[in-house]
Amino acid sequence: MFDMATTALLRAVFEEVCEGVPQREIGARTHVASKILEAATSGELSPEDLRQVGRKALSHAPTMWR
C-alpha cells in the first residue's frame, strides 16, 4: 500500500502517459497502470522514470487506437 503522496504521483503519471488514450481502451490503460505500479512496488518513485516506464508500456500495450 502506498501513502497518499505516492498514490497521487502514480495517478498523475498514469494520467499524463494516457492522456491521448481513449477511456474505452481498457486493455492499454490497464497495461500501463500495471507496469507503473510494478515499477513503484520495486522502489522506483522518480516521476521521470515512472513516465518512461509508462511510455514504454504504452508502446507495447494491446490496443486498437494506434
Side-chain angles (χ1 to χ4, degrees):
M1 194 76 151
F2 298 110
D3 62 27
M4 288 177 36
T6 303
T7 300
L9 169 65
L10 297 176
R11 184 180 307 265
V13 168
F14 172 77
E15 292 299 329
E16 181 180 328
V17 170
C18 290
E19 70 182 339
V21 181
Q23 291 286 330
R24 68 182 179 275
E25 292 293 339
I26 306 269
R29 294 174 70 86
T30 300
H31 182 71
V32 171
S34 69
K35 293 300 182 181
I36 290 172
L37 283 171
E38 182 180 303
T41 300
S42 297
E44 184 56 65
L45 297 174
S46 158
E48 187 52 41
D49 289 343
L50 290 170
R51 282 185 203 99
Q52 288 178 1
V53 167
R55 289 182 191 121
K56 181 178 178 184
L58 185 58
S59 71
H60 294 97
T63 185
M64 299 294 290
W65 70 277
R66 284 189 244 162

Short mmCIF file of all heavy atoms in Angstrom, two decimals:
data_model
loop_
_atom_site.label_atom_id
_atom_site.label_comp_id
_atom_site.label_asym_id
_atom_site.label_seq_id
_atom_site.Cartn_x
_atom_site.Cartn_y
_atom_site.Cartn_z
N MET A 1 0.84 -1.18 0.00
CA MET A 1 0.00 0.00 0.00
C MET A 1 0.89 1.24 0.00
O MET A 1 1.88 1.29 0.71
CB MET A 1 -0.87 -0.03 1.26
CG MET A 1 -1.98 0.93 1.21
SD MET A 1 -3.25 0.30 0.13
CE MET A 1 -4.66 1.01 0.85
N PHE A 2 0.53 2.21 -0.81
CA PHE A 2 1.29 3.45 -0.91
C PHE A 2 0.64 4.55 -0.10
O PHE A 2 -0.57 4.55 0.12
CB PHE A 2 1.36 3.89 -2.38
CG PHE A 2 2.07 2.91 -3.27
CD1 PHE A 2 1.35 2.19 -4.22
CD2 PHE A 2 3.43 2.71 -3.18
CE1 PHE A 2 2.00 1.29 -5.05
CE2 PHE A 2 4.08 1.81 -4.00
CZ PHE A 2 3.36 1.09 -4.94
N ASP A 3 1.46 5.51 0.34
CA ASP A 3 0.90 6.66 1.05
C ASP A 3 0.18 7.57 0.06
O ASP A 3 0.24 7.36 -1.15
CB ASP A 3 1.98 7.40 1.84
CG ASP A 3 3.08 7.99 0.96
OD1 ASP A 3 2.82 8.30 -0.22
OD2 ASP A 3 4.20 8.15 1.46
N MET A 4 -0.49 8.58 0.59
CA MET A 4 -1.31 9.46 -0.26
C MET A 4 -0.48 10.22 -1.29
O MET A 4 -0.90 10.37 -2.43
CB MET A 4 -2.11 10.42 0.61
CG MET A 4 -3.25 9.73 1.34
SD MET A 4 -4.22 10.76 2.48
CE MET A 4 -4.30 12.33 1.73
N ALA A 5 0.70 10.67 -0.91
CA ALA A 5 1.56 11.42 -1.84
C ALA A 5 2.01 10.53 -2.99
O ALA A 5 2.01 10.95 -4.16
CB ALA A 5 2.75 12.00 -1.10
N THR A 6 2.40 9.31 -2.68
CA THR A 6 2.84 8.38 -3.72
C THR A 6 1.68 8.01 -4.63
O THR A 6 1.84 7.95 -5.85
CB THR A 6 3.48 7.13 -3.09
OG1 THR A 6 4.56 7.53 -2.26
CG2 THR A 6 3.97 6.16 -4.16
N THR A 7 0.52 7.76 -4.05
CA THR A 7 -0.67 7.44 -4.84
C THR A 7 -1.00 8.59 -5.79
O THR A 7 -1.30 8.37 -6.97
CB THR A 7 -1.86 7.14 -3.92
OG1 THR A 7 -1.51 6.02 -3.09
CG2 THR A 7 -3.11 6.80 -4.72
N ALA A 8 -0.90 9.81 -5.31
CA ALA A 8 -1.16 10.98 -6.15
C ALA A 8 -0.14 11.06 -7.28
O ALA A 8 -0.49 11.37 -8.44
CB ALA A 8 -1.14 12.25 -5.32
N LEU A 9 1.12 10.78 -6.99
CA LEU A 9 2.16 10.77 -8.02
C LEU A 9 1.87 9.72 -9.08
O LEU A 9 1.93 10.00 -10.28
CB LEU A 9 3.53 10.50 -7.38
CG LEU A 9 4.67 10.21 -8.35
CD1 LEU A 9 4.97 11.43 -9.22
CD2 LEU A 9 5.91 9.75 -7.60
N LEU A 10 1.54 8.52 -8.65
CA LEU A 10 1.26 7.44 -9.60
C LEU A 10 0.06 7.77 -10.48
O LEU A 10 0.08 7.54 -11.69
CB LEU A 10 1.02 6.13 -8.85
CG LEU A 10 2.20 5.59 -8.05
CD1 LEU A 10 1.80 4.34 -7.28
CD2 LEU A 10 3.40 5.33 -8.92
N ARG A 11 -0.96 8.34 -9.88
CA ARG A 11 -2.16 8.73 -10.64
C ARG A 11 -1.80 9.82 -11.67
O ARG A 11 -2.22 9.75 -12.82
CB ARG A 11 -3.25 9.22 -9.70
CG ARG A 11 -4.55 9.55 -10.41
CD ARG A 11 -5.60 10.04 -9.44
NE ARG A 11 -5.79 9.14 -8.32
CZ ARG A 11 -6.72 8.19 -8.27
NH1 ARG A 11 -7.56 8.03 -9.27
NH2 ARG A 11 -6.82 7.41 -7.23
N ALA A 12 -1.01 10.80 -11.25
CA ALA A 12 -0.63 11.89 -12.15
C ALA A 12 0.20 11.38 -13.33
O ALA A 12 -0.01 11.78 -14.48
CB ALA A 12 0.13 12.96 -11.38
N VAL A 13 1.14 10.49 -13.04
CA VAL A 13 1.98 9.92 -14.10
C VAL A 13 1.10 9.11 -15.06
O VAL A 13 1.22 9.24 -16.28
CB VAL A 13 3.11 9.06 -13.51
CG1 VAL A 13 3.79 8.22 -14.60
CG2 VAL A 13 4.12 9.94 -12.80
N PHE A 14 0.22 8.29 -14.52
CA PHE A 14 -0.67 7.49 -15.35
C PHE A 14 -1.52 8.39 -16.25
O PHE A 14 -1.62 8.14 -17.46
CB PHE A 14 -1.58 6.62 -14.47
CG PHE A 14 -2.65 5.92 -15.25
CD1 PHE A 14 -2.37 4.82 -16.02
CD2 PHE A 14 -3.96 6.40 -15.23
CE1 PHE A 14 -3.36 4.18 -16.75
CE2 PHE A 14 -4.96 5.78 -15.95
CZ PHE A 14 -4.66 4.67 -16.71
N GLU A 15 -2.13 9.41 -15.69
CA GLU A 15 -2.98 10.32 -16.47
C GLU A 15 -2.18 11.03 -17.55
O GLU A 15 -2.66 11.23 -18.66
CB GLU A 15 -3.68 11.33 -15.56
CG GLU A 15 -4.73 10.70 -14.66
CD GLU A 15 -5.86 10.02 -15.43
OE1 GLU A 15 -6.21 10.45 -16.53
OE2 GLU A 15 -6.40 9.03 -14.89
N GLU A 16 -0.95 11.42 -17.23
CA GLU A 16 -0.10 12.09 -18.22
C GLU A 16 0.24 11.16 -19.38
O GLU A 16 0.13 11.53 -20.54
CB GLU A 16 1.17 12.59 -17.54
CG GLU A 16 2.10 13.32 -18.47
CD GLU A 16 3.37 13.79 -17.78
OE1 GLU A 16 3.32 14.11 -16.57
OE2 GLU A 16 4.41 13.82 -18.46
N VAL A 17 0.66 9.94 -19.04
CA VAL A 17 1.05 8.99 -20.08
C VAL A 17 -0.15 8.60 -20.95
O VAL A 17 -0.02 8.45 -22.16
CB VAL A 17 1.69 7.73 -19.44
CG1 VAL A 17 1.88 6.62 -20.46
CG2 VAL A 17 3.02 8.09 -18.79
N CYS A 18 -1.32 8.48 -20.34
CA CYS A 18 -2.50 8.01 -21.06
C CYS A 18 -3.42 9.14 -21.54
O CYS A 18 -4.56 8.87 -21.93
CB CYS A 18 -3.30 7.05 -20.16
SG CYS A 18 -2.48 5.48 -19.92
N GLU A 19 -2.94 10.37 -21.55
CA GLU A 19 -3.82 11.48 -21.89
C GLU A 19 -4.44 11.36 -23.28
O GLU A 19 -5.54 11.82 -23.50
CB GLU A 19 -3.12 12.82 -21.72
CG GLU A 19 -2.03 13.09 -22.74
CD GLU A 19 -1.34 14.42 -22.48
OE1 GLU A 19 -1.92 15.28 -21.79
OE2 GLU A 19 -0.21 14.57 -22.95
N GLY A 20 -3.77 10.73 -24.22
CA GLY A 20 -4.32 10.58 -25.56
C GLY A 20 -5.00 9.25 -25.80
O GLY A 20 -5.44 8.96 -26.92
N VAL A 21 -5.10 8.44 -24.77
CA VAL A 21 -5.69 7.11 -24.90
C VAL A 21 -7.16 7.18 -24.47
O VAL A 21 -7.45 7.57 -23.35
CB VAL A 21 -4.94 6.08 -24.02
CG1 VAL A 21 -5.55 4.69 -24.19
CG2 VAL A 21 -3.46 6.06 -24.36
N PRO A 22 -8.07 6.81 -25.37
CA PRO A 22 -9.49 6.85 -25.00
C PRO A 22 -9.81 5.97 -23.80
O PRO A 22 -9.19 4.91 -23.61
CB PRO A 22 -10.19 6.31 -26.26
CG PRO A 22 -9.21 6.49 -27.37
CD PRO A 22 -7.86 6.36 -26.74
N GLN A 23 -10.78 6.39 -23.00
CA GLN A 23 -11.20 5.63 -21.82
C GLN A 23 -11.61 4.21 -22.17
O GLN A 23 -11.43 3.28 -21.38
CB GLN A 23 -12.37 6.34 -21.12
CG GLN A 23 -11.99 7.64 -20.47
CD GLN A 23 -11.20 7.45 -19.19
OE1 GLN A 23 -11.36 6.46 -18.49
NE2 GLN A 23 -10.34 8.38 -18.89
N ARG A 24 -12.17 4.02 -23.36
CA ARG A 24 -12.65 2.69 -23.74
C ARG A 24 -11.52 1.70 -24.04
O ARG A 24 -11.77 0.50 -24.19
CB ARG A 24 -13.58 2.80 -24.95
CG ARG A 24 -12.90 3.21 -26.22
CD ARG A 24 -13.86 3.35 -27.40
NE ARG A 24 -13.17 3.76 -28.59
CZ ARG A 24 -12.89 5.01 -28.92
NH1 ARG A 24 -13.27 5.99 -28.13
NH2 ARG A 24 -12.24 5.30 -30.02
N GLU A 25 -10.29 2.20 -24.13
CA GLU A 25 -9.12 1.33 -24.38
C GLU A 25 -8.63 0.75 -23.05
O GLU A 25 -7.53 1.02 -22.59
CB GLU A 25 -8.01 2.12 -25.08
CG GLU A 25 -8.35 2.51 -26.49
CD GLU A 25 -8.47 1.33 -27.43
OE1 GLU A 25 -7.94 0.23 -27.13
OE2 GLU A 25 -9.11 1.49 -28.47
N ILE A 26 -9.48 -0.07 -22.47
CA ILE A 26 -9.24 -0.63 -21.14
C ILE A 26 -7.95 -1.45 -21.11
O ILE A 26 -7.17 -1.36 -20.17
CB ILE A 26 -10.42 -1.52 -20.70
CG1 ILE A 26 -11.71 -0.75 -20.79
CG2 ILE A 26 -10.17 -2.15 -19.34
CD1 ILE A 26 -12.15 -0.02 -19.60
N GLY A 27 -7.72 -2.25 -22.14
CA GLY A 27 -6.53 -3.10 -22.16
C GLY A 27 -5.24 -2.30 -22.12
O GLY A 27 -4.33 -2.60 -21.35
N ALA A 28 -5.16 -1.25 -22.93
CA ALA A 28 -3.96 -0.42 -22.97
C ALA A 28 -3.77 0.32 -21.66
O ALA A 28 -2.67 0.36 -21.09
CB ALA A 28 -4.05 0.58 -24.13
N ARG A 29 -4.85 0.89 -21.14
CA ARG A 29 -4.76 1.66 -19.90
C ARG A 29 -4.39 0.76 -18.72
O ARG A 29 -3.60 1.13 -17.86
CB ARG A 29 -6.06 2.41 -19.65
CG ARG A 29 -6.30 3.49 -20.72
CD ARG A 29 -7.64 4.15 -20.59
NE ARG A 29 -7.73 4.99 -19.42
CZ ARG A 29 -7.35 6.27 -19.37
NH1 ARG A 29 -6.85 6.85 -20.46
NH2 ARG A 29 -7.46 6.97 -18.27
N THR A 30 -4.95 -0.44 -18.69
CA THR A 30 -4.65 -1.39 -17.63
C THR A 30 -3.19 -1.83 -17.70
O THR A 30 -2.51 -1.94 -16.67
CB THR A 30 -5.58 -2.61 -17.71
OG1 THR A 30 -6.93 -2.16 -17.58
CG2 THR A 30 -5.27 -3.64 -16.64
N HIS A 31 -2.71 -2.07 -18.91
CA HIS A 31 -1.31 -2.47 -19.09
C HIS A 31 -0.37 -1.40 -18.57
O HIS A 31 0.59 -1.69 -17.84
CB HIS A 31 -1.05 -2.76 -20.58
CG HIS A 31 0.33 -3.23 -20.87
ND1 HIS A 31 0.78 -4.48 -20.51
CD2 HIS A 31 1.37 -2.60 -21.48
CE1 HIS A 31 2.04 -4.60 -20.89
NE2 HIS A 31 2.42 -3.48 -21.47
N VAL A 32 -0.63 -0.15 -18.93
CA VAL A 32 0.21 0.97 -18.47
C VAL A 32 0.16 1.07 -16.95
O VAL A 32 1.20 1.18 -16.29
CB VAL A 32 -0.23 2.30 -19.13
CG1 VAL A 32 0.49 3.48 -18.49
CG2 VAL A 32 0.03 2.26 -20.63
N ALA A 33 -1.04 1.02 -16.38
CA ALA A 33 -1.18 1.12 -14.93
C ALA A 33 -0.42 0.01 -14.21
O ALA A 33 0.27 0.25 -13.22
CB ALA A 33 -2.65 1.08 -14.54
N SER A 34 -0.52 -1.20 -14.74
CA SER A 34 0.15 -2.32 -14.06
C SER A 34 1.66 -2.18 -14.10
O SER A 34 2.35 -2.49 -13.12
CB SER A 34 -0.28 -3.66 -14.66
OG SER A 34 0.21 -3.83 -15.96
N LYS A 35 2.20 -1.68 -15.21
CA LYS A 35 3.65 -1.50 -15.31
C LYS A 35 4.14 -0.37 -14.40
O LYS A 35 5.21 -0.48 -13.79
CB LYS A 35 4.06 -1.25 -16.76
CG LYS A 35 3.85 -2.44 -17.66
CD LYS A 35 4.66 -3.64 -17.19
CE LYS A 35 4.49 -4.82 -18.10
NZ LYS A 35 5.25 -5.99 -17.65
N ILE A 36 3.37 0.70 -14.31
CA ILE A 36 3.74 1.79 -13.41
C ILE A 36 3.70 1.30 -11.96
O ILE A 36 4.62 1.56 -11.18
CB ILE A 36 2.81 3.01 -13.62
CG1 ILE A 36 3.10 3.66 -14.98
CG2 ILE A 36 2.99 4.02 -12.49
CD1 ILE A 36 2.12 4.74 -15.38
N LEU A 37 2.65 0.56 -11.60
CA LEU A 37 2.56 0.02 -10.24
C LEU A 37 3.68 -0.97 -9.94
O LEU A 37 4.23 -0.98 -8.84
CB LEU A 37 1.21 -0.66 -10.04
CG LEU A 37 0.04 0.27 -9.82
CD1 LEU A 37 -1.27 -0.53 -9.85
CD2 LEU A 37 0.18 1.02 -8.52
N GLU A 38 4.01 -1.77 -10.92
CA GLU A 38 5.09 -2.75 -10.75
C GLU A 38 6.41 -2.02 -10.46
O GLU A 38 7.17 -2.41 -9.57
CB GLU A 38 5.21 -3.58 -12.02
CG GLU A 38 6.25 -4.67 -11.99
CD GLU A 38 6.27 -5.44 -13.30
OE1 GLU A 38 5.22 -5.99 -13.68
OE2 GLU A 38 7.34 -5.48 -13.94
N ALA A 39 6.68 -0.97 -11.22
CA ALA A 39 7.91 -0.20 -11.01
C ALA A 39 7.91 0.45 -9.63
O ALA A 39 8.93 0.43 -8.92
CB ALA A 39 8.06 0.86 -12.10
N ALA A 40 6.79 1.03 -9.24
CA ALA A 40 6.70 1.69 -7.93
C ALA A 40 6.87 0.68 -6.80
O ALA A 40 7.54 0.96 -5.80
CB ALA A 40 5.37 2.42 -7.81
N THR A 41 6.29 -0.48 -6.95
CA THR A 41 6.41 -1.53 -5.94
C THR A 41 7.86 -1.98 -5.79
O THR A 41 8.29 -2.34 -4.70
CB THR A 41 5.51 -2.73 -6.30
OG1 THR A 41 4.15 -2.26 -6.36
CG2 THR A 41 5.60 -3.84 -5.27
N SER A 42 8.61 -1.91 -6.88
CA SER A 42 10.02 -2.28 -6.85
C SER A 42 10.90 -1.15 -6.31
O SER A 42 12.12 -1.28 -6.27
CB SER A 42 10.50 -2.65 -8.25
OG SER A 42 9.81 -3.78 -8.71
N GLY A 43 10.27 -0.03 -5.94
CA GLY A 43 11.02 1.06 -5.35
C GLY A 43 11.28 2.24 -6.25
O GLY A 43 11.90 3.23 -5.84
N GLU A 44 10.86 2.17 -7.50
CA GLU A 44 11.07 3.27 -8.45
C GLU A 44 10.00 4.33 -8.23
O GLU A 44 8.84 4.10 -8.53
CB GLU A 44 11.01 2.75 -9.89
CG GLU A 44 11.32 3.81 -10.90
CD GLU A 44 12.66 4.46 -10.63
OE1 GLU A 44 13.69 3.78 -10.75
OE2 GLU A 44 12.67 5.66 -10.29
N LEU A 45 10.40 5.47 -7.70
CA LEU A 45 9.42 6.52 -7.41
C LEU A 45 9.79 7.86 -8.04
O LEU A 45 9.15 8.87 -7.75
CB LEU A 45 9.24 6.67 -5.89
CG LEU A 45 8.67 5.43 -5.21
CD1 LEU A 45 8.65 5.60 -3.70
CD2 LEU A 45 7.27 5.11 -5.73
N SER A 46 10.78 7.86 -8.91
CA SER A 46 11.14 9.08 -9.63
C SER A 46 10.06 9.35 -10.68
O SER A 46 9.76 8.47 -11.50
CB SER A 46 12.49 8.89 -10.32
OG SER A 46 12.63 9.79 -11.40
N PRO A 47 9.47 10.54 -10.68
CA PRO A 47 8.43 10.83 -11.67
C PRO A 47 8.89 10.59 -13.11
O PRO A 47 8.15 10.00 -13.90
CB PRO A 47 8.10 12.30 -11.43
CG PRO A 47 8.46 12.54 -10.00
CD PRO A 47 9.66 11.66 -9.75
N GLU A 48 10.09 11.02 -13.44
CA GLU A 48 10.56 10.85 -14.81
C GLU A 48 10.75 9.37 -15.16
O GLU A 48 10.38 8.93 -16.25
CB GLU A 48 11.86 11.61 -15.06
CG GLU A 48 12.30 11.59 -16.50
CD GLU A 48 11.23 12.03 -17.51
OE1 GLU A 48 10.49 13.01 -17.23
OE2 GLU A 48 11.11 11.40 -18.58
N ASP A 49 11.30 8.60 -14.25
CA ASP A 49 11.48 7.16 -14.50
C ASP A 49 10.13 6.46 -14.63
O ASP A 49 9.96 5.58 -15.49
CB ASP A 49 12.32 6.51 -13.41
CG ASP A 49 13.78 6.94 -13.48
OD1 ASP A 49 14.21 7.48 -14.52
OD2 ASP A 49 14.48 6.75 -12.47
N LEU A 50 9.16 6.85 -13.81
CA LEU A 50 7.82 6.27 -13.91
C LEU A 50 7.18 6.64 -15.24
O LEU A 50 6.49 5.81 -15.86
CB LEU A 50 6.95 6.71 -12.75
CG LEU A 50 7.33 6.13 -11.38
CD1 LEU A 50 6.55 6.81 -10.28
CD2 LEU A 50 7.14 4.62 -11.35
N ARG A 51 7.39 7.86 -15.71
CA ARG A 51 6.87 8.26 -17.03
C ARG A 51 7.48 7.39 -18.12
O ARG A 51 6.78 6.96 -19.05
CB ARG A 51 7.17 9.73 -17.32
CG ARG A 51 6.28 10.69 -16.61
CD ARG A 51 6.57 12.13 -17.05
NE ARG A 51 6.12 13.02 -16.03
CZ ARG A 51 6.88 13.58 -15.09
NH1 ARG A 51 8.18 13.38 -15.08
NH2 ARG A 51 6.36 14.37 -14.18
N GLN A 52 8.78 7.15 -18.03
CA GLN A 52 9.44 6.31 -19.04
C GLN A 52 8.88 4.89 -19.02
O GLN A 52 8.64 4.30 -20.08
CB GLN A 52 10.95 6.29 -18.80
CG GLN A 52 11.63 7.59 -19.15
CD GLN A 52 13.12 7.57 -18.87
OE1 GLN A 52 13.68 6.57 -18.43
NE2 GLN A 52 13.77 8.69 -19.12
N VAL A 53 8.66 4.36 -17.83
CA VAL A 53 8.05 3.02 -17.71
C VAL A 53 6.67 3.03 -18.35
O VAL A 53 6.32 2.12 -19.11
CB VAL A 53 7.97 2.60 -16.22
CG1 VAL A 53 7.07 1.38 -16.05
CG2 VAL A 53 9.35 2.33 -15.66
N GLY A 54 5.88 4.05 -18.05
CA GLY A 54 4.54 4.15 -18.61
C GLY A 54 4.53 4.29 -20.12
O GLY A 54 3.75 3.64 -20.81
N ARG A 55 5.43 5.11 -20.65
CA ARG A 55 5.50 5.29 -22.11
C ARG A 55 5.93 4.00 -22.81
O ARG A 55 5.41 3.67 -23.87
CB ARG A 55 6.46 6.43 -22.45
CG ARG A 55 5.91 7.78 -22.08
CD ARG A 55 6.87 8.90 -22.46
NE ARG A 55 6.44 10.14 -21.87
CZ ARG A 55 7.18 10.88 -21.04
NH1 ARG A 55 8.40 10.50 -20.71
NH2 ARG A 55 6.69 11.99 -20.54
N LYS A 56 6.89 3.32 -22.21
CA LYS A 56 7.33 2.04 -22.79
C LYS A 56 6.18 1.04 -22.77
O LYS A 56 5.94 0.34 -23.75
CB LYS A 56 8.52 1.49 -22.01
CG LYS A 56 9.04 0.19 -22.57
CD LYS A 56 10.25 -0.30 -21.82
CE LYS A 56 10.71 -1.63 -22.38
NZ LYS A 56 11.82 -2.20 -21.64
N ALA A 57 5.46 0.99 -21.66
CA ALA A 57 4.31 0.08 -21.56
C ALA A 57 3.26 0.43 -22.60
O ALA A 57 2.69 -0.46 -23.23
CB ALA A 57 3.72 0.14 -20.15
N LEU A 58 3.02 1.71 -22.79
CA LEU A 58 2.02 2.14 -23.77
C LEU A 58 2.42 1.72 -25.19
O LEU A 58 1.58 1.30 -25.97
CB LEU A 58 1.82 3.65 -23.70
CG LEU A 58 0.72 4.22 -24.57
CD1 LEU A 58 -0.63 3.58 -24.25
CD2 LEU A 58 0.64 5.73 -24.39
N SER A 59 3.71 1.80 -25.48
CA SER A 59 4.15 1.41 -26.82
C SER A 59 4.03 -0.09 -27.08
O SER A 59 4.02 -0.53 -28.22
CB SER A 59 5.60 1.87 -27.06
OG SER A 59 6.50 1.09 -26.31
N HIS A 60 3.91 -0.87 -26.01
CA HIS A 60 3.76 -2.33 -26.13
C HIS A 60 2.38 -2.81 -25.72
O HIS A 60 2.15 -4.01 -25.61
CB HIS A 60 4.82 -3.04 -25.28
CG HIS A 60 6.21 -2.81 -25.75
ND1 HIS A 60 7.01 -1.84 -25.21
CD2 HIS A 60 6.92 -3.39 -26.74
CE1 HIS A 60 8.17 -1.84 -25.84
NE2 HIS A 60 8.15 -2.77 -26.76
N ALA A 61 1.47 -1.88 -25.50
CA ALA A 61 0.14 -2.24 -24.99
C ALA A 61 -0.75 -2.80 -26.09
O ALA A 61 -0.68 -2.36 -27.23
CB ALA A 61 -0.53 -1.02 -24.37
N PRO A 62 -1.61 -3.75 -25.72
CA PRO A 62 -2.62 -4.24 -26.67
C PRO A 62 -3.67 -3.15 -26.88
O PRO A 62 -4.30 -2.71 -25.93
CB PRO A 62 -3.21 -5.45 -25.96
CG PRO A 62 -2.98 -5.18 -24.51
CD PRO A 62 -1.72 -4.37 -24.42
N THR A 63 -3.79 -2.67 -28.11
CA THR A 63 -4.72 -1.56 -28.34
C THR A 63 -5.19 -1.52 -29.78
O THR A 63 -4.57 -2.05 -30.68
CB THR A 63 -4.07 -0.22 -27.96
OG1 THR A 63 -5.04 0.79 -28.09
CG2 THR A 63 -2.89 0.11 -28.83
N MET A 64 -6.30 -0.84 -29.97
CA MET A 64 -6.86 -0.66 -31.32
C MET A 64 -6.72 0.79 -31.76
O MET A 64 -7.04 1.14 -32.86
CB MET A 64 -8.34 -1.04 -31.31
CG MET A 64 -8.61 -2.48 -30.93
SD MET A 64 -7.97 -3.64 -32.13
CE MET A 64 -9.07 -3.35 -33.48
N TRP A 65 -6.30 1.68 -30.89
CA TRP A 65 -6.33 3.12 -31.19
C TRP A 65 -5.14 3.63 -31.95
O TRP A 65 -5.17 4.71 -32.50
CB TRP A 65 -6.54 3.94 -29.91
CG TRP A 65 -5.39 3.94 -28.98
CD1 TRP A 65 -5.09 2.99 -28.05
CD2 TRP A 65 -4.37 4.92 -28.87
NE1 TRP A 65 -3.94 3.33 -27.39
CE2 TRP A 65 -3.48 4.50 -27.87
CE3 TRP A 65 -4.11 6.11 -29.54
CZ2 TRP A 65 -2.37 5.23 -27.50
CZ3 TRP A 65 -2.98 6.84 -29.16
CH2 TRP A 65 -2.14 6.40 -28.16
N ARG A 66 -4.04 2.91 -32.01
CA ARG A 66 -2.83 3.42 -32.68
C ARG A 66 -3.01 3.53 -34.16
O ARG A 66 -3.50 2.94 -34.92
CB ARG A 66 -1.64 2.55 -32.37
CG ARG A 66 -1.14 2.81 -30.99
CD ARG A 66 0.16 2.11 -30.77
NE ARG A 66 -0.11 1.13 -29.74
CZ ARG A 66 0.63 0.11 -29.48
NH1 ARG A 66 1.67 -0.15 -30.18
NH2 ARG A 66 0.35 -0.71 -28.51
#
